[in-house]
mmCIF file of all heavy atoms in Angstrom:
data_model
loop_
_atom_site.group_PDB
_atom_site.id
_atom_site.type_symbol
_atom_site.label_atom_id
_atom_site.label_comp_id
_atom_site.label_asym_id
_atom_site.label_seq_id
_atom_site.Cartn_x
_atom_site.Cartn_y
_atom_site.Cartn_z
ATOM 1 N N LEU L 1 114.836 82.018 116.395
ATOM 2 C CA LEU L 1 113.446 81.996 116.857
ATOM 3 C C LEU L 1 113.156 80.702 117.600
ATOM 4 O O LEU L 1 113.628 79.635 117.216
ATOM 5 C CB LEU L 1 112.497 82.148 115.669
ATOM 6 C CG LEU L 1 112.719 83.402 114.816
ATOM 7 C CD1 LEU L 1 111.819 83.376 113.596
ATOM 8 C CD2 LEU L 1 112.482 84.657 115.635
ATOM 9 N N ARG L 2 112.309 80.799 118.658
ATOM 10 C CA ARG L 2 112.107 79.614 119.487
ATOM 11 C C ARG L 2 110.724 79.499 120.102
ATOM 12 O O ARG L 2 110.455 78.537 120.810
ATOM 13 C CB ARG L 2 113.140 79.601 120.608
ATOM 14 C CG ARG L 2 113.147 80.848 121.471
ATOM 15 C CD ARG L 2 114.335 80.874 122.395
ATOM 16 N NE ARG L 2 114.316 79.764 123.330
ATOM 17 C CZ ARG L 2 115.371 79.386 124.040
ATOM 18 N NH1 ARG L 2 116.512 80.010 123.890
ATOM 19 N NH2 ARG L 2 115.274 78.390 124.890
ATOM 20 N N MET L 3 109.825 80.436 119.899
ATOM 21 C CA MET L 3 108.511 80.354 120.524
ATOM 22 C C MET L 3 107.610 79.416 119.730
ATOM 23 O O MET L 3 107.352 79.657 118.543
ATOM 24 C CB MET L 3 107.870 81.745 120.613
ATOM 25 C CG MET L 3 108.689 82.753 121.395
ATOM 26 S SD MET L 3 109.072 82.213 123.079
ATOM 27 C CE MET L 3 107.445 82.166 123.805
ATOM 28 N N PRO L 4 107.093 78.348 120.337
ATOM 29 C CA PRO L 4 106.325 77.356 119.580
ATOM 30 C C PRO L 4 104.862 77.707 119.388
ATOM 31 O O PRO L 4 104.187 77.082 118.575
ATOM 32 C CB PRO L 4 106.453 76.097 120.444
ATOM 33 C CG PRO L 4 106.584 76.639 121.839
ATOM 34 C CD PRO L 4 107.351 77.921 121.717
ATOM 35 N N GLY L 5 104.351 78.689 120.125
ATOM 36 C CA GLY L 5 102.929 78.996 120.068
ATOM 37 C C GLY L 5 102.611 80.158 119.141
ATOM 38 O O GLY L 5 103.401 80.557 118.286
ATOM 39 N N MET L 6 101.421 80.745 119.345
ATOM 40 C CA MET L 6 100.963 81.846 118.514
ATOM 41 C C MET L 6 101.843 83.090 118.638
ATOM 42 O O MET L 6 101.891 83.921 117.731
ATOM 43 C CB MET L 6 99.521 82.218 118.880
ATOM 44 C CG MET L 6 98.491 81.213 118.407
ATOM 45 S SD MET L 6 98.327 81.221 116.613
ATOM 46 C CE MET L 6 96.989 80.031 116.408
ATOM 47 N N GLU L 7 102.561 83.221 119.772
ATOM 48 C CA GLU L 7 103.402 84.397 119.953
ATOM 49 C C GLU L 7 104.622 84.396 119.039
ATOM 50 O O GLU L 7 105.389 85.382 119.016
ATOM 51 C CB GLU L 7 103.842 84.524 121.410
ATOM 52 C CG GLU L 7 104.666 83.373 121.942
ATOM 53 C CD GLU L 7 103.831 82.282 122.562
ATOM 54 O OE1 GLU L 7 102.765 81.935 122.012
ATOM 55 O OE2 GLU L 7 104.258 81.746 123.603
ATOM 56 N N PHE L 8 104.797 83.324 118.255
ATOM 57 C CA PHE L 8 105.855 83.298 117.247
ATOM 58 C C PHE L 8 105.732 84.491 116.302
ATOM 59 O O PHE L 8 106.741 85.048 115.858
ATOM 60 C CB PHE L 8 105.777 81.994 116.450
ATOM 61 C CG PHE L 8 106.765 81.894 115.326
ATOM 62 C CD1 PHE L 8 108.032 81.382 115.526
ATOM 63 C CD2 PHE L 8 106.430 82.331 114.044
ATOM 64 C CE1 PHE L 8 108.953 81.297 114.485
ATOM 65 C CE2 PHE L 8 107.327 82.248 113.004
ATOM 66 C CZ PHE L 8 108.601 81.730 113.218
ATOM 67 N N ALA L 9 104.483 84.895 116.003
ATOM 68 C CA ALA L 9 104.278 86.035 115.103
ATOM 69 C C ALA L 9 104.915 87.295 115.669
ATOM 70 O O ALA L 9 105.538 88.080 114.941
ATOM 71 C CB ALA L 9 102.780 86.241 114.866
ATOM 72 N N SER L 10 104.774 87.505 116.982
ATOM 73 C CA SER L 10 105.408 88.669 117.616
ATOM 74 C C SER L 10 106.915 88.491 117.692
ATOM 75 O O SER L 10 107.677 89.443 117.463
ATOM 76 C CB SER L 10 104.850 88.865 119.026
ATOM 77 O OG SER L 10 103.486 89.220 118.997
ATOM 78 N N GLU L 11 107.355 87.286 118.012
ATOM 79 C CA GLU L 11 108.792 87.055 118.166
ATOM 80 C C GLU L 11 109.546 87.376 116.886
ATOM 81 O O GLU L 11 110.619 87.990 116.925
ATOM 82 C CB GLU L 11 109.054 85.612 118.575
ATOM 83 C CG GLU L 11 110.530 85.338 118.815
ATOM 84 C CD GLU L 11 110.856 83.886 119.054
ATOM 85 O OE1 GLU L 11 110.050 83.013 118.670
ATOM 86 O OE2 GLU L 11 111.931 83.596 119.612
ATOM 87 N N LEU L 12 109.021 86.956 115.752
ATOM 88 C CA LEU L 12 109.713 87.198 114.493
ATOM 89 C C LEU L 12 109.929 88.689 114.262
ATOM 90 O O LEU L 12 111.036 89.130 113.930
ATOM 91 C CB LEU L 12 108.918 86.585 113.337
ATOM 92 C CG LEU L 12 109.620 86.460 111.982
ATOM 93 C CD1 LEU L 12 108.966 85.360 111.155
ATOM 94 C CD2 LEU L 12 109.598 87.770 111.189
ATOM 95 N N VAL L 13 108.881 89.483 114.474
ATOM 96 C CA VAL L 13 108.991 90.925 114.225
ATOM 97 C C VAL L 13 109.890 91.591 115.258
ATOM 98 O O VAL L 13 110.737 92.426 114.929
ATOM 99 C CB VAL L 13 107.597 91.578 114.232
ATOM 100 C CG1 VAL L 13 107.702 93.039 113.838
ATOM 101 C CG2 VAL L 13 106.663 90.863 113.279
ATOM 102 N N VAL L 14 109.732 91.211 116.529
ATOM 103 C CA VAL L 14 110.508 91.843 117.592
ATOM 104 C C VAL L 14 111.994 91.548 117.438
ATOM 105 O O VAL L 14 112.840 92.450 117.504
ATOM 106 C CB VAL L 14 109.998 91.369 118.969
ATOM 107 C CG1 VAL L 14 110.959 91.788 120.072
ATOM 108 C CG2 VAL L 14 108.611 91.936 119.234
ATOM 109 N N ARG L 15 112.331 90.286 117.230
ATOM 110 C CA ARG L 15 113.752 89.953 117.085
ATOM 111 C C ARG L 15 114.347 90.605 115.837
ATOM 112 O O ARG L 15 115.507 91.041 115.845
ATOM 113 C CB ARG L 15 113.926 88.437 117.036
ATOM 114 C CG ARG L 15 113.732 87.729 118.371
ATOM 115 C CD ARG L 15 114.221 86.295 118.287
ATOM 116 N NE ARG L 15 113.922 85.534 119.475
ATOM 117 C CZ ARG L 15 114.699 85.482 120.565
ATOM 118 N NH1 ARG L 15 115.823 86.190 120.587
ATOM 119 N NH2 ARG L 15 114.370 84.741 121.601
ATOM 120 N N ALA L 16 113.581 90.659 114.759
ATOM 121 C CA ALA L 16 114.076 91.319 113.550
ATOM 122 C C ALA L 16 114.320 92.800 113.801
ATOM 123 O O ALA L 16 115.325 93.367 113.350
ATOM 124 C CB ALA L 16 113.086 91.119 112.408
ATOM 125 N N ALA L 17 113.401 93.446 114.536
ATOM 126 C CA ALA L 17 113.571 94.871 114.838
ATOM 127 C C ALA L 17 114.791 95.103 115.722
ATOM 128 O O ALA L 17 115.586 96.023 115.477
ATOM 129 C CB ALA L 17 112.313 95.408 115.511
ATOM 130 N N LEU L 18 114.958 94.285 116.756
ATOM 131 C CA LEU L 18 116.091 94.456 117.662
ATOM 132 C C LEU L 18 117.417 94.159 116.975
ATOM 133 O O LEU L 18 118.452 94.688 117.371
ATOM 134 C CB LEU L 18 115.918 93.547 118.882
ATOM 135 C CG LEU L 18 114.726 93.885 119.791
ATOM 136 C CD1 LEU L 18 114.568 92.844 120.884
ATOM 137 C CD2 LEU L 18 114.890 95.271 120.398
ATOM 138 N N ALA L 19 117.387 93.307 115.946
ATOM 139 C CA ALA L 19 118.605 93.004 115.194
ATOM 140 C C ALA L 19 118.898 94.051 114.123
ATOM 141 O O ALA L 19 119.912 93.942 113.421
ATOM 142 C CB ALA L 19 118.487 91.624 114.548
ATOM 143 N N GLY L 20 118.030 95.047 113.989
ATOM 144 C CA GLY L 20 118.258 96.107 113.007
ATOM 145 C C GLY L 20 117.895 95.717 111.589
ATOM 146 O O GLY L 20 118.383 96.335 110.637
ATOM 147 N N TYR L 21 117.036 94.730 111.404
ATOM 148 C CA TYR L 21 116.650 94.301 110.069
ATOM 149 C C TYR L 21 115.768 95.352 109.395
ATOM 150 O O TYR L 21 115.075 96.129 110.065
ATOM 151 C CB TYR L 21 115.891 92.976 110.127
ATOM 152 C CG TYR L 21 116.764 91.760 110.355
ATOM 153 C CD1 TYR L 21 118.095 91.872 110.749
ATOM 154 C CD2 TYR L 21 116.251 90.481 110.166
ATOM 155 C CE1 TYR L 21 118.874 90.749 110.948
ATOM 156 C CE2 TYR L 21 117.036 89.348 110.367
ATOM 157 C CZ TYR L 21 118.347 89.498 110.763
ATOM 158 O OH TYR L 21 119.119 88.381 110.956
ATOM 159 N N ASP L 22 115.795 95.338 108.082
ATOM 160 C CA ASP L 22 114.976 96.250 107.279
ATOM 161 C C ASP L 22 113.582 95.631 107.131
ATOM 162 O O ASP L 22 113.410 94.611 106.475
ATOM 163 C CB ASP L 22 115.628 96.448 105.910
ATOM 164 C CG ASP L 22 114.912 97.485 105.064
ATOM 165 O OD1 ASP L 22 113.810 97.916 105.454
ATOM 166 O OD2 ASP L 22 115.445 97.862 104.003
ATOM 167 N N ILE L 23 112.583 96.253 107.758
ATOM 168 C CA ILE L 23 111.222 95.734 107.759
ATOM 169 C C ILE L 23 110.318 96.684 106.973
ATOM 170 O O ILE L 23 110.289 97.884 107.249
ATOM 171 C CB ILE L 23 110.693 95.569 109.193
ATOM 172 C CG1 ILE L 23 111.617 94.642 109.987
ATOM 173 C CG2 ILE L 23 109.266 95.025 109.189
ATOM 174 C CD1 ILE L 23 111.237 94.513 111.446
ATOM 175 N N ALA L 24 109.614 96.136 106.007
ATOM 176 C CA ALA L 24 108.689 96.928 105.194
ATOM 177 C C ALA L 24 107.283 96.345 105.339
ATOM 178 O O ALA L 24 107.087 95.285 105.929
ATOM 179 C CB ALA L 24 109.131 96.929 103.733
ATOM 180 N N GLU L 25 106.305 97.051 104.774
ATOM 181 C CA GLU L 25 104.919 96.617 104.886
ATOM 182 C C GLU L 25 104.199 96.863 103.572
ATOM 183 O O GLU L 25 104.425 97.883 102.912
ATOM 184 C CB GLU L 25 104.225 97.387 106.020
ATOM 185 C CG GLU L 25 102.920 96.774 106.472
ATOM 186 C CD GLU L 25 102.356 97.499 107.686
ATOM 187 O OE1 GLU L 25 102.111 98.715 107.590
ATOM 188 O OE2 GLU L 25 102.162 96.852 108.731
ATOM 189 N N VAL L 26 103.346 95.916 103.192
ATOM 190 C CA VAL L 26 102.563 96.042 101.958
ATOM 191 C C VAL L 26 101.105 95.712 102.287
ATOM 192 O O VAL L 26 100.824 94.909 103.192
ATOM 193 C CB VAL L 26 103.086 95.106 100.842
ATOM 194 C CG1 VAL L 26 104.504 95.484 100.439
ATOM 195 C CG2 VAL L 26 103.014 93.648 101.282
ATOM 196 N N PRO L 27 100.155 96.309 101.565
ATOM 197 C CA PRO L 27 98.741 95.993 101.824
ATOM 198 C C PRO L 27 98.416 94.566 101.397
ATOM 199 O O PRO L 27 98.950 94.045 100.427
ATOM 200 C CB PRO L 27 97.991 97.013 100.952
ATOM 201 C CG PRO L 27 99.000 98.041 100.563
ATOM 202 C CD PRO L 27 100.320 97.360 100.542
ATOM 203 N N THR L 28 97.528 93.937 102.133
ATOM 204 C CA THR L 28 97.008 92.622 101.753
ATOM 205 C C THR L 28 95.576 92.507 102.247
ATOM 206 O O THR L 28 95.214 93.117 103.251
ATOM 207 C CB THR L 28 97.873 91.484 102.338
ATOM 208 O OG1 THR L 28 97.469 90.236 101.772
ATOM 209 C CG2 THR L 28 97.732 91.393 103.850
ATOM 210 N N ARG L 29 94.788 91.755 101.518
ATOM 211 C CA ARG L 29 93.366 91.665 101.841
ATOM 212 C C ARG L 29 93.082 90.437 102.710
ATOM 213 O O ARG L 29 93.667 89.376 102.515
ATOM 214 C CB ARG L 29 92.523 91.595 100.570
ATOM 215 C CG ARG L 29 91.021 91.729 100.826
ATOM 216 C CD ARG L 29 90.245 92.054 99.567
ATOM 217 N NE ARG L 29 88.890 92.472 99.883
ATOM 218 C CZ ARG L 29 88.535 93.707 100.231
ATOM 219 N NH1 ARG L 29 89.462 94.644 100.287
ATOM 220 N NH2 ARG L 29 87.287 94.006 100.517
ATOM 221 N N LEU L 30 92.164 90.617 103.666
ATOM 222 C CA LEU L 30 91.739 89.518 104.526
ATOM 223 C C LEU L 30 90.298 89.161 104.196
ATOM 224 O O LEU L 30 89.413 90.018 104.194
ATOM 225 C CB LEU L 30 91.850 89.906 106.000
ATOM 226 C CG LEU L 30 91.507 88.788 106.999
ATOM 227 C CD1 LEU L 30 92.580 87.702 106.975
ATOM 228 C CD2 LEU L 30 91.350 89.348 108.410
ATOM 229 N N ARG L 31 90.088 87.872 103.909
ATOM 230 C CA ARG L 31 88.742 87.390 103.591
ATOM 231 C C ARG L 31 88.229 86.500 104.729
ATOM 232 O O ARG L 31 88.984 86.138 105.630
ATOM 233 C CB ARG L 31 88.761 86.605 102.274
ATOM 234 C CG ARG L 31 89.140 87.469 101.075
ATOM 235 C CD ARG L 31 89.143 86.649 99.793
ATOM 236 N NE ARG L 31 89.311 87.492 98.627
ATOM 237 C CZ ARG L 31 90.470 87.921 98.150
ATOM 238 N NH1 ARG L 31 91.586 87.561 98.769
ATOM 239 N NH2 ARG L 31 90.525 88.694 97.087
ATOM 240 N N ARG L 32 86.979 86.161 104.663
ATOM 241 C CA ARG L 32 86.396 85.288 105.678
ATOM 242 C C ARG L 32 87.075 83.926 105.675
ATOM 243 O O ARG L 32 87.387 83.374 104.614
ATOM 244 C CB ARG L 32 84.896 85.113 105.429
ATOM 245 C CG ARG L 32 84.052 86.316 105.773
ATOM 246 C CD ARG L 32 82.585 86.030 105.520
ATOM 247 N NE ARG L 32 82.099 84.989 106.399
ATOM 248 C CZ ARG L 32 81.532 85.213 107.577
ATOM 249 N NH1 ARG L 32 81.405 86.457 108.022
ATOM 250 N NH2 ARG L 32 81.097 84.220 108.321
ATOM 251 N N ASP L 33 87.291 83.400 106.856
ATOM 252 C CA ASP L 33 87.834 82.053 107.026
ATOM 253 C C ASP L 33 86.933 81.067 106.285
ATOM 254 O O ASP L 33 85.710 81.086 106.423
ATOM 255 C CB ASP L 33 87.857 81.755 108.527
ATOM 256 C CG ASP L 33 88.511 80.426 108.865
ATOM 257 O OD1 ASP L 33 88.527 79.532 108.001
ATOM 258 O OD2 ASP L 33 88.999 80.288 109.987
ATOM 259 N N GLY L 34 87.545 80.191 105.467
ATOM 260 C CA GLY L 34 86.767 79.262 104.675
ATOM 261 C C GLY L 34 86.372 77.991 105.385
ATOM 262 O O GLY L 34 85.700 77.141 104.801
ATOM 263 N N ARG L 35 86.746 77.839 106.647
ATOM 264 C CA ARG L 35 86.453 76.609 107.372
ATOM 265 C C ARG L 35 85.095 76.693 108.070
ATOM 266 O O ARG L 35 84.625 77.778 108.424
ATOM 267 C CB ARG L 35 87.538 76.327 108.415
ATOM 268 C CG ARG L 35 88.925 76.186 107.829
ATOM 269 C CD ARG L 35 89.993 76.188 108.903
ATOM 270 N NE ARG L 35 90.037 77.465 109.624
ATOM 271 C CZ ARG L 35 91.010 77.813 110.463
ATOM 272 N NH1 ARG L 35 92.002 76.978 110.684
ATOM 273 N NH2 ARG L 35 90.977 78.973 111.077
ATOM 274 N N SER L 36 84.506 75.532 108.305
ATOM 275 C CA SER L 36 83.239 75.482 109.031
ATOM 276 C C SER L 36 83.457 75.339 110.531
ATOM 277 O O SER L 36 82.545 75.580 111.319
ATOM 278 C CB SER L 36 82.388 74.311 108.532
ATOM 279 O OG SER L 36 83.074 73.069 108.720
#
């Protein structure tokens, strides 16, 4: 992996998919950002 910006999130999934990695998904909850 080599993308330094926000697109790192896409790079991780894309490279894993192209490499044939086993990718699963689980539910998770998103709450309001706690910062002001």
Side-chain angles (χ1 to χ4, degrees):
L1 304 174
R2 56 190 298 165
M3 301 304 295
M6 287 291 184
E7 61 270 41
F8 176 88
S10 294
E11 183 187 20
L12 193 156
V13 186
V14 169
R15 287 193 187 273
L18 295 174
Y21 284 12
D22 186 350
I23 302 175
E25 196 174 59
V26 296
T28 189
R29 189 164 193 84
L30 184 70
R31 296 180 172 84
R32 286 181 65 92
D33 185 335
R35 301 169 296 191
S36 60

